[in-house]
Amino acid sequence: MSDTLQGKVTALLQTLERRYGKVERPSVAPPSTSADASAIATVAAKNAQIVAGVALGLHGPPIEGGEAARKLMAHFVDWNEVRVARPATLIAALGRQSRAPERIALLRRFLEAYFIQQRNLNLEYLYSLKNSEVRRFLSDLEIFSREELAAMLLTGFGFSVFPPADILRDMTELTGLLKAQTTTLQMAKKIETMFEAETLYSLYAHLYALAHDAEGQKVLAKQRHHRKKSKSKSR
């Protein structure tokens, strides 16, 4: 079973990379060793933007969250200004990006909870914590569902976890990775115990891209149908 699933995932990622391109996790900048205050601030701002992008990218391809964060920082001074801005203003700043109202609702919920807990919005602080501390910090905010917390840990901090999302389970069935009777929780557990964080990140990103690509789903479904037909003829 494990060898079969690993082979299927490898083949699927190759197929999806041809359609959507290779995905890479945003590179977190190490703490600045410079005494220059502006250099320190630049690193902090970059890492804070990555954290915000992770929240903005929940329930979708992570790259879209990063793009949304960049758009917001082109319009606002810092994340506290984003926190107190009107939702309509924030949505307008994202332009035509898909799911803008949902993204802004997720981000505002995160920023408000973070501010209440820390009394600041130094989001880059999360990258100074150990893995166990990051998990505890995000859990203590009490705003993330089980699926969202796993997605935050995977896409933002490189944890080897896979979000138990129904839409991801549906995509594993569509692509033939797992059988139809596999539950969402079973899907997440099977996948996260078999792959490293890099593969989990790529699979997560590509399955979400596929979930929002009706034409891509049709193409893959047709390819699976032809393969099944060919196998039945060869027997």
Side-chain angles (χ1 to χ4, degrees), residues 35 70 78 83 93 113 122 129 138 145 147 156 168 208 210 216 218:
R70 284 192 291 274
D78 55 29
R83 179 180 71 87
N122 300 329
L129 301 178
L138 294 177
S145 66
E147 168 194 338
L168 295 178
Y208 257 118
L210 179 63
K218 290 179 182 177

Side-chain angles (χ1 to χ4, degrees), residues 25-31 43 46-47 50 124 127 156-157:
R25 191 190 314 278
S27 177
V28 177
V43 170
K46 178 181 184 295
N47 290 344
I50 291 174
E124 71 282 359
Y127 287 122
F157 303 94

Side-chain angles (χ1 to χ4, degrees), residues 24-41:
E24 293 183 1
R25 191 190 314 278
S27 177
V28 177
S32 175
T33 57
S34 171
D36 182 359
S38 68
I40 295 173

Side-chain angles (χ1 to χ4, degrees), residues 10-30:
T10 298
L12 177 63
L13 286 178
Q14 291 173 348
T15 297
L16 296 181
E17 282 179 6
R18 287 195 293 270
R19 186 172 183 87
Y20 304 118
K22 192 173 180 62
V23 297
E24 293 183 1
R25 191 190 314 278
S27 177
V28 177

